[in-house]
Amino acid sequence: MRKKKRRQSAIGNRQSAIPIPSVLSLLPLPSSAVFFFFVLARATQLHSSQMASAIPSLSSATAFTSRRPLLDNLKQANVKLGTPNQSTLLGKDHIRAKSFTRKSMTSAVEVSRFGDITMAPPDPILGVSEAFRADTHEMKLNLGVGAYRTEDLHPYVLNVVKKAENLMLERGENKEYLPIEGLAAFNKVTAELLLGAQNDVIQQQKIATVQGLSGTGSLRLAAALIERYFPGSKVLISSPTWGNHKNIFNDARVPWSEYRYYDPRTVGLDFHGMISDIKAAPEGSFVLLHGCAHNPTGIDPTPEQWESIADVIQEKNHIPFFDVAYQGFASGSLDTDASSVRLFAARGMELLVAQSYSKNLGLYAERIGAINVVCSSSDIAQRVKSQLKRLARPMYSNPPIHGARIVANVVGNSDLFNEWKEEMELMAGRIKSVRKKLYDSLSAKDNSGKDWSFVLKQIGMFSFTGLNNAQSENMTNKWHVYMTKDGRISLAGLSSAKCEYLADAIIDSYHNVS
């Protein structure tokens, strides 16, 4: 009797331990439902006694000659196929525990390691365009971003650029990586465009040229060179200057200070203040100069003043650092707009020059430019170039090819080059035309006797109106004229048809807003 009971007990234990998949395989369920029951049972470690309330005890696998009785038992246990009743199978305590776990996980997700990062302010220039797009007023004007527009205020793609791109398609050129220093053909023509092909610096190979990510990227690469090889040296920046200059040097951890440039009394150049501040700077400082069409003022030194600036920089053993973003686009002449840089190079001075083709070729989105370092010998130039490449490698590895090929095709082809010069003259001429019409409108409409001639004396795509922050706000809020808060307007975004409207806005803001 005892042996028989032991055998029955052993059999009972084995039967109660029948694997869940064996039971579920007997049910007429979809495979997904079977899998669900299996995972649910395993995850909650159901004991055979808990399963007994839903699934009847089995004496043997062969006892199931029909699946119908088991289905009936499942129905009586209030288990719906496809949508299992978890409170019946697992108990209410399990449901509460599961809900608590979900809340705990949610709380954990809400705690972020990035929670202390604050919202950055909108960009003072690019943010203007965002506000402009949201405005629905029919007379609205976007004079914030320095991008050329046609008389109809539409973006313009130069015809010569289209022709250069067609040449690229015809040649079937690939998209392979460029070397770190960029496209060799581009580097050659951009240095020649800057200094002149017959310049001694070019002929003696005393220049290190590396393709950069437009003007901004080229300035940033030069800043990295200064930080690494001239530690502690200060960069002198004009007051005011392009809004991104300070960001670039701050990011590169290069100290900077300002030299006087703009005179609000005359809305002109504070030349004496500029010379005085450059003289007072520590010897060996870098002096950031705008090669032409100073941004944001549009005020350039005269040729005689450039000579004096070069004199004091040489006396103080400073290093000139040019930002050339508008060559050919300011006066309409490539040579005239490069004259300041060529003056310094002709004196045998070592200098840095950042170039951009965003404006003069309209290649805003191609991000094409270069950093040039004029050195005292070809050997030094080679070493400088090697270090520029070393700095560029962890920044962006190598530059984009499309814009570089456009520039190489245009500048390197005499026919396309001449056509480009004609288009530049047309663009520069349109800006000069709206500048003159704006001056005429201001002079005719303003009866206060104010002298608006500074508008004509400025050059390039920008005009510094002399309006303060509050007055600039009035221009936007009342007149729907979008501009930077320092009073700068981009004449490249102005049509002759809207010059009188703009003049009304300027006169109202100047006289009626303190």
Side-chain angles (χ1 to χ4, degrees):
M1 275 302 277
R2 286 183 197 156
K3 290 182 181 180
K4 186 176 181 181
K5 285 182 181 179
R6 271 196 219 104
R7 281 198 304 271
Q8 289 176 344
S9 176
I11 291 170
N13 290 337
R14 285 197 300 272
Q15 290 169 344
S16 65
I18 292 175
I20 298 300
S22 300
V23 177
L24 296 179
S25 65
L26 300 175
L27 300 177
L29 302 175
S31 58
S32 59
V34 173
F35 179 75
F36 175 81
F37 274 108
F38 170 67
V39 172
L40 196 61
R42 290 295 188 192
T44 56
Q45 296 182 341
L46 291 175
H47 298 292
S48 57
S49 59
Q50 291 173 309
M51 289 296 294
S53 63
I55 302 175
S57 179
L58 307 177
S59 59
S60 68
T62 56
F64 279 89
T65 55
S66 170
R67 298 178 182 179
R68 188 67 193 179
L70 180 56
L71 294 175
D72 292 338
N73 288 333
L74 285 171
K75 287 179 181 179
Q76 292 174 7
N78 197 27
V79 177
K80 295 182 180 179
L81 298 180
T83 56
N85 188 322
Q86 294 182 8
S87 63
T88 302
L89 287 173
L90 307 176
K92 293 181 180 179
D93 289 341
H94 173 79
I95 302 302
R96 283 195 293 270
K98 189 172 182 181
S99 175
F100 176 78
T101 303
R102 282 177 180 164
K103 290 178 181 177
S104 300
M105 291 175 66
T106 303
S107 299
V109 170
E110 289 174 353
V111 178
S112 173
R113 300 295 294 274
F114 306 103
D116 292 333
I117 296 179
T118 60
M119 180 66 72
D123 186 271
I125 298 176
L126 300 181
V128 172
S129 293
E130 296 175 9
F132 170 80
R133 284 191 288 268
D135 194 331
T136 58
H137 195 273
E138 62 179 358
M139 292 300 289
K140 68 177 182 177
L141 276 170
N142 185 1
L143 306 182
V145 179
Y148 181 79
R149 296 290 182 264
T150 64
E151 179 61 27
D152 297 326
L153 301 184
H154 294 144
Y156 178 61
V157 179
L158 277 68
N159 291 323
V160 72
V161 168
K162 296 176 183 177
K163 291 181 179 180
E165 289 180 317
N166 285 334
L167 281 176
M168 293 159 58
L169 288 172
E170 290 171 6
R171 294 169 184 165
E173 293 173 316
N174 60 45
K175 301 293 184 182
E176 289 292 308
Y177 287 125
L178 283 177
I180 300 173
E181 67 268 30
L183 186 68
F186 166 80
N187 289 341
K188 178 179 182 296
V189 299
T190 197
E192 292 175 351
L193 187 73
L194 178 67
L195 297 174
Q198 302 308 313
N199 194 295
D200 287 344
V201 171
I202 301 291
Q203 295 297 314
Q204 297 171 21
Q205 299 181 343
K206 294 192 293 185
I207 185 170
T209 301
V210 170
Q211 181 184 334
L213 305 182
S214 198
T216 301
S218 301
L219 287 163
R220 181 63 180 81
L221 195 56
L225 183 75
I226 293 171
E227 192 275 334
R228 180 167 295 185
Y229 293 100
F230 301 87
S233 293
K234 182 178 289 186
V235 176
L236 303 182
I237 301 172
S238 68
S239 176
T241 191
W242 176 49
N244 215 19
H245 278 150
K246 296 175 183 178
N247 295 334
I248 290 168
F249 293 110
N250 284 339
D251 193 60
R253 295 180 175 83
V254 173
W256 55 268
S257 63
E258 295 179 313
Y259 60 84
R260 283 169 284 178
Y261 193 86
Y262 172 71
D263 185 349
R265 296 170 301 172
T266 63
V267 196
L269 177 65
D270 183 358
F271 180 68
H272 296 293
M274 177 183 183
I275 292 295
S276 176
D277 289 345
I278 293 175
K279 281 184 178 180
E283 185 172 338
S285 298
F286 289 81
V287 183
L288 186 65
L289 304 163
H290 298 229
C292 63
H294 182 275
N295 182 2
T297 67
I299 303 166
D300 285 354
T302 65
E304 295 74 25
Q305 288 172 332
W306 274 121
E307 292 280 1
S308 299
I309 293 168
D311 287 341
V312 70
I313 287 178
Q314 276 190 303
E315 290 170 10
K316 292 289 296 185
N317 200 29
H318 294 328
I319 303 174
F321 183 177
F322 283 91
D323 184 358
V324 178
Y326 306 99
Q327 185 181 356
F329 197 74
S331 68
S333 167
L334 289 162
D335 294 328
T336 300
D337 291 347
S339 60
S340 59
V341 177
R342 294 177 185 181
L343 166 67
F344 282 69
R347 291 188 174 208
M349 300 172 69
E350 293 185 306
L351 58 142
L352 293 85
V353 187
Q355 288 173 281
S356 169
Y357 288 92
S358 291
K359 308 298 190 298
N360 54 14
L361 262 173
L363 300 177
Y364 305 99
E366 300 297 347
R367 312 314 296 148
I368 177 64
I371 178 63
N372 305 270
V373 183
V374 175
C375 304
S376 59
S377 70
S378 60
D379 175 64
I380 295 174
Q382 289 178 13
R383 281 185 271 151
V384 169
K385 186 173 184 176
S386 72
Q387 292 300 333
L388 287 170
K389 290 164 60 177
R390 185 181 179 187
L391 290 166
R393 175 61 168 151
M395 279 190 190
Y396 55 85
S397 195
N398 41 34
I401 195 168
H402 192 78
R405 280 180 173 155
I406 292 174
V407 175
N409 284 336
V410 171
V411 183
N413 181 298
S414 59
D415 291 336
L416 293 179
F417 183 64
N418 290 329
E419 187 175 340
W420 176 40
K421 290 194 290 184
E422 291 176 2
E423 283 197 86
M424 264 193 300
E425 289 176 7
L426 289 173
M427 291 190 294
R430 196 190 84 74
I431 293 174
K432 290 177 183 177
S433 175
V434 296
R435 184 183 289 278
K436 176 66 165 59
K437 187 164 184 179
L438 176 61
Y439 165 74
D440 291 341
S441 298
L442 287 167
S443 300
K445 289 173 174 288
D446 186 10
N447 299 318
S448 69
K450 177 176 172 56
D451 181 10
W452 294 98
S453 62
F454 64 86
V455 175
L456 292 178
K457 294 174 184 177
Q458 297 167 356
I459 190 173
M461 63 165 43
F462 298 114
S463 177
F464 215 55
T465 61
L467 298 179
N468 61 31
N469 191 298
Q471 293 164 338
S472 298
E473 289 279 1
N474 184 70
M475 292 280 287
T476 300
N477 297 336
K478 180 178 178 180
W479 294 90
H480 305 272
V481 176
Y482 291 83
M483 55 191 288
T484 54
K485 303 310 176 188
D486 58 4
R488 186 195 80 171
I489 58 173
S490 172
L491 297 179
L494 176 65
S495 66
S496 58
K498 290 190 175 182
C499 282
E500 290 191 9
Y501 177 78
L502 178 61
D504 287 335
I506 292 174
I507 292 169
D508 172 66
S509 300
Y510 179 78
H511 289 297
N512 299 325
V513 180
S514 62

